[in-house]
Amino acid sequence: MRPTIILATSNGIGMGHLARATAIGEALKDRAHPIIVSMASAVAEIPSATGIPAEYIPGRDRGLMPRQKWDRYLRDRILALVEETGATILTFDGVVPYPGVLAAKLAKPDLTLVWIRRGLWQKKPQRFVLGLQSRIMDYVVEPGDYAREYDHGPTSKRKEAKLVAPVSLYRSERALEKSAARKILGLDPDRPAVLVQLGTGDADVNHKMTAALRGLLGWKDVQVVLTKDPKDKAGNSLAPDGLDLKVVRYFPLADLLHAFDAGICAAGYNGVHELPAAGVPTVFVSNIRGTDDQETRARWCADYGCALMANQADLADIETTVRKLQNPELRKSLSDKCARFLRQLAQPKSQIFFSLFLNHIAQRK
Amino acid sequence: MISGATVPLHSTLSILARGPIGAAKHFAVFLLEKIGLSYRALFPHRIDTPPITGSPIFSETTDVNELRAYVRAPRRFEHLITEASERYRRKRSEIATKAYDL
């Protein structure tokens, strides 16, 4: 009998947690019944795109209830879903396992709790409770990171985690070739296309978006593809005049990455394990918020020649570095390096390992 | 009845009934919750939208557009997996009632 496995994720910054859960869920489909529960609004994309059942749980930051009540609400939601589906394993992908997740484990001790904890942490206050949180887990699994050799953060020396290869939604055998991908996105097949995946919101983040887009000015006939409208909270455009912008929604976008001649992206776990893996010449602009050490991840990519890194604190450098992407020889050189170093690492062996591992512990119960 | 959902976190008898390791883990979770609450009290999430009140919408839709709209709407939304049992729906309604003080 195939076990039911609940893959829970926090909200977080970007799509990293949810993308990993989706990749693992896809690999589990043949061996188990995966269910994704998430506080990320992008969970809305999961059921129709993947066929994996999913539930949205409003995060504590939505302010729907007093903070003190939220952990009990989360615990009760998890326990209700466990009882409804007969799930035997709960994985949690997030930096901080919420007390509500841990309380669900305590209320139902036979539920196996697995913490999927990526590395490359900055030294933030969360590190002080790492030991305590890890002890409550049945297993801790660390999805590998291309930049792991540069990881000197709080999780790098810990012993409890089982390290696996990087987890990525990009799979070369599933990704569409350029013309088919462009057709789906509605892009001109003969003009260059650049993917921009940078956040918007606070003023400094908005300025980085504007600087990056400025770097694309002058690129003849370029089509600029964004995953969200480049506007500030007041609705003012962050894009300079003269660019042909297109906002797209597609999940998983990893399947369509061959549509792009270049990318500009935050150096989150997803971006680094998808764009270079697909051979897309990329400029990484780190987002320094949260625990994720994006600066280090971006530096590793730049040191190995797989991508360019812009100084996130210097708007002029962001513009100048992005402008370099207009050079076709540089783009070819970056693509070649990606092919040589990274492509084989992004194959779904890690997802399969996860799948086998979770299935194995389910059978032991 | 879902046992865990009805056991109060701070019932002394239920904690002691779990044995020394269970009680220690319970204390650890209790401690982590208090640390989390203290941290968030010192560094609160920035709330730039008015508080959301009222009865929640329950839906088990898988339609991406509908789901996006529900998730982003300025109202309470309770999402259920498809083909949920009547018992699960009732349980979810109880959980929402308790959480939202309805």
Side-chain angles (χ1 to χ4, degrees):
Chain A
M1 193 178 132
R2 294 196 296 169
T4 298
I5 297 172
I6 297 175
L7 307 166
T9 88
S10 64
N11 189 352
I13 295 167
M15 280 277 289
H17 306 299
L18 192 55
R20 280 191 296 273
T22 307
I24 295 165
E26 290 273 22
L28 274 170
K29 272 182 182 170
D30 296 337
R31 302 175 176 84
H33 296 291
I35 297 170
I36 294 177
V37 297
S38 179
M39 289 130 226
S41 60
V43 74
E45 318 286 330
I46 305 292
S48 55
T50 66
I52 299 172
E55 270 192 6
Y56 167 71
I57 299 181
R60 56 188 175 180
D61 54 339
R62 286 218 62 195
L64 296 182
M65 65 193 77
R67 174 63 181 81
Q68 291 86 337
K69 281 196 161 198
W70 186 81
D71 280 311
R72 288 163 180 79
Y73 167 77
L74 176 62
R75 176 198 62 184
D76 292 350
R77 285 280 307 259
I78 291 170
L79 289 171
L81 189 61
V82 166
E83 177 150 300
E84 171 72 2
T85 61
T88 50
I89 298 176
L90 170 68
T91 73
F92 177 77
D93 190 319
V95 171
V96 178
Y98 303 116
V101 171
L102 303 176
K105 163 69 183 172
L106 287 185
K108 196 166 173 48
D110 58 338
L111 179 68
T112 301
L113 184 56
V114 181
W115 186 9
I116 299 174
R117 186 186 73 194
R118 63 139 178 74
L120 260 87
W121 282 37
Q122 297 186 62
K123 288 182 179 164
K124 293 283 175 89
Q126 287 90 337
R127 72 184 192 270
F128 297 116
V129 286
L130 259 172
L132 198 53
Q133 287 163 336
S134 303
R135 281 182 187 280
I136 295 169
M137 301 289 163
D138 293 303
Y139 300 92
V140 181
V141 184
E142 181 175 326
D145 202 302
Y146 289 159
R148 192 165 194 280
E149 64 175 289
Y150 282 23
D151 186 358
H152 301 292
T155 62
S156 64
K157 302 285 187 296
R158 298 195 64 84
K159 303 289 182 211
E160 69 270 359
K162 184 182 281 288
L163 177 70
V164 299
V167 175
S168 171
L169 272 175
Y170 174 77
R171 286 162 60 179
S172 56
E173 77 279 10
R174 205 174 87 162
L176 298 181
E177 47 92 22
K178 188 170 186 169
S179 60
R182 285 198 169 196
K183 196 170 178 185
I184 288 175
L185 292 171
L187 296 173
D188 187 305
D190 301 318
R191 293 164 55 199
V194 178
L195 175 65
V196 180
Q197 286 185 297
L198 296 174
T200 57
D202 291 336
D204 60 326
V205 180
N206 292 344
H207 292 151
K208 291 178 197 176
M209 170 70 92
T210 301
L213 292 174
R214 248 193 233 119
L216 296 172
L217 288 170
W219 190 337
K220 190 172 182 306
D221 294 333
V222 73
Q223 307 169 86
V224 181
V225 177
L226 301 106
T227 47
K228 65 188 294 191
D229 228 356
K231 287 184 176 167
D232 66 15
K233 283 177 186 164
N236 303 310
S237 176
L238 300 171
D241 291 337
L243 287 174
D244 178 9
L245 304 176
K246 185 178 180 69
V247 178
V248 300
R249 276 193 168 279
Y250 189 89
F251 187 86
L253 193 58
D255 288 350
L256 306 183
L257 289 178
H258 294 162
F260 301 105
D261 298 288
I264 305 161
C265 191
Y269 188 94
N270 271 356
V272 166
H273 295 92
E274 288 179 8
L275 276 86
V280 179
T282 303
V283 169
F284 286 116
V285 184
S286 310
N287 181 344
I288 55 168
R289 286 173 170 72
T291 54
D292 194 16
D293 190 357
Q294 296 199 3
E295 283 283 270
T296 296
R297 199 179 282 115
R299 192 173 308 112
W300 183 90
C301 291
D303 287 353
Y304 277 82
C306 304
L308 302 178
M309 176 190 184
N311 178 355
Q312 62 82 29
D314 183 345
L315 297 178
D317 187 66
I318 293 172
E319 186 177 335
T320 309
T321 309
V322 168
R323 183 156 292 120
K324 291 178 184 169
L325 286 175
Q326 299 191 25
N327 178 344
E329 284 160 19
L330 176 71
R331 292 203 304 274
K332 183 169 184 324
S333 155
L334 289 170
S335 280
D336 290 346
K337 287 260 174 63
C338 291
R340 225 174 299 149
F341 288 126
L342 300 179
R343 267 190 183 156
Q344 72 276 17
L345 295 177
Q347 296 306 305
K349 58 188 176 190
S350 184
Q351 284 92 306
I352 288 172
F353 171 82
F354 256 109
S355 167
L356 290 171
F357 172 69
L358 293 175
N359 205 50
H360 170 69
I361 56 178
Q363 301 302 335
R364 282 173 52 188
K365 290 174 78 72
Chain B
M1 186 177 83
I2 296 168
S3 56
T6 54
V7 176
L9 264 181
H10 308 295
S11 157
T12 311
L13 283 177
S14 69
I15 296 165
L16 293 174
R18 291 174 185 158
I21 294 175
K25 285 189 170 181
H26 182 96
F27 179 70
V29 172
F30 175 79
L31 196 66
L32 287 169
E33 186 180 20
K34 295 305 165 207
I35 292 170
L37 286 171
S38 308
Y39 179 77
R40 202 43 76 197
L42 290 170
F43 306 99
H45 285 295
R46 199 178 50 199
I47 302 203
D48 42 16
T49 52
I52 297 168
T53 56
S55 299
I57 299 172
F58 286 83
S59 171
E60 59 177 57
T61 184
T62 58
D63 179 84
V64 64
N65 293 320
E66 204 177 347
L67 203 40
R68 270 186 208 145
Y70 279 139
V71 167
R72 293 192 178 148
R75 67 170 300 171
R76 290 166 170 162
F77 167 55
E78 291 289 311
H79 187 211
L80 298 97
I81 49 168
T82 49
E83 298 174 15
S85 69
E86 198 47 50
R87 196 168 74 131
Y88 183 62
R89 290 165 197 275
R90 273 200 308 274
K91 185 70 210 172
R92 287 290 305 278
S93 175
E94 285 170 30
I95 293 169
T97 301
K98 196 164 76 173
Y100 300 135
D101 282 329
L102 297 172

